[in-house]
């Protein structure tokens, strides 16, 4: 089985020793995206709404780099620094998926890189 690196300049570059995504067989495993602007590498201005919108835009770009879309996503994990923001994040997230929605876990964490309030990682199916 070939392991293929997925990379695009339309999503933030990795800020450590990891890949934006890795295709392994019929699946692509994407690293968590935080609300960084792909061009500047800086956090987007605003609160949880703006941060979640940016994360979803980054997801879209990373998926496109693999020739995939949101309908190919089978599993996500959402990390929040404040689970009290779950409703708003869920509303924004839900606009990007149609039935069947991917399996998902959402967890509260003490902190995220660069002071982000939200991070999402996901797995997409790219098989036949």
């Amino acid at each position: 089985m070939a392991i293929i690196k997925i990379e695009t300049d339309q999503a933030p570059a990795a800020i450590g020793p990891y890949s934006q995504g890795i295709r392994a067989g019929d699946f692509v495993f994407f690293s968590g995206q935080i609300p960084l602007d792909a061009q500047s590498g800086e956090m987007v201005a605003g609160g949880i709404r703006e941060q979640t919108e940016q994360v979803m835009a980054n997801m879209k770009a990373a998926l496109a780099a693999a020739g995939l879309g949101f309908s190919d996503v089978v599993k996500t994990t959402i990390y929040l620094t404040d689970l009290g923001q779950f409703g708003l994040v869920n509303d924004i997230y839900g606009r990007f998926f149609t039935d069947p929605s991917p399996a998902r876990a959402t967890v509260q964490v003490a902190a995220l890189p660069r002071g982000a309030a939200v991070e999402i990682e996901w797995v997409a199916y790219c098989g036949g």
Side-chain angles (χ1 to χ4, degrees), residues 48 78-90 104-110 117:
I48 190 71
I78 301 174
Y79 302 94
L80 297 171
T81 57
D82 178 3
L83 208 50
Q85 299 293 328
F86 174 78
L88 178 58
V89 171
N90 193 55
R104 181 179 78 187
T106 303
V107 296
Q108 181 170 311
V109 295

Side-chain angles (χ1 to χ4, degrees), residues 42-55:
E42 299 297 321
M43 291 285 291
V44 297
I48 190 71
R49 177 181 304 280
E50 292 81 8
Q51 287 194 23
T52 305
E53 293 281 0
Q54 185 63 52
V55 168

Side-chain angles (χ1 to χ4, degrees), residues 54-116:
Q54 185 63 52
V55 168
M56 299 307 291
N58 293 345
M59 285 180 70
K60 182 178 181 179
L63 284 162
L68 302 170
F70 285 103
S71 64
D72 299 304
V73 176
V74 295
K75 171 70 169 85
T76 64
T77 304
I78 301 174
Y79 302 94
L80 297 171
T81 57
D82 178 3
L83 208 50
Q85 299 293 328
F86 174 78
L88 178 58
V89 171
N90 193 55
D91 288 345
I92 295 167
Y93 170 98
R95 293 193 330 246
F96 291 84
F97 294 101
T98 57
D99 194 42
S101 298
R104 181 179 78 187
T106 303
V107 296
Q108 181 170 311
V109 295
L112 290 168
R114 301 259 186 106

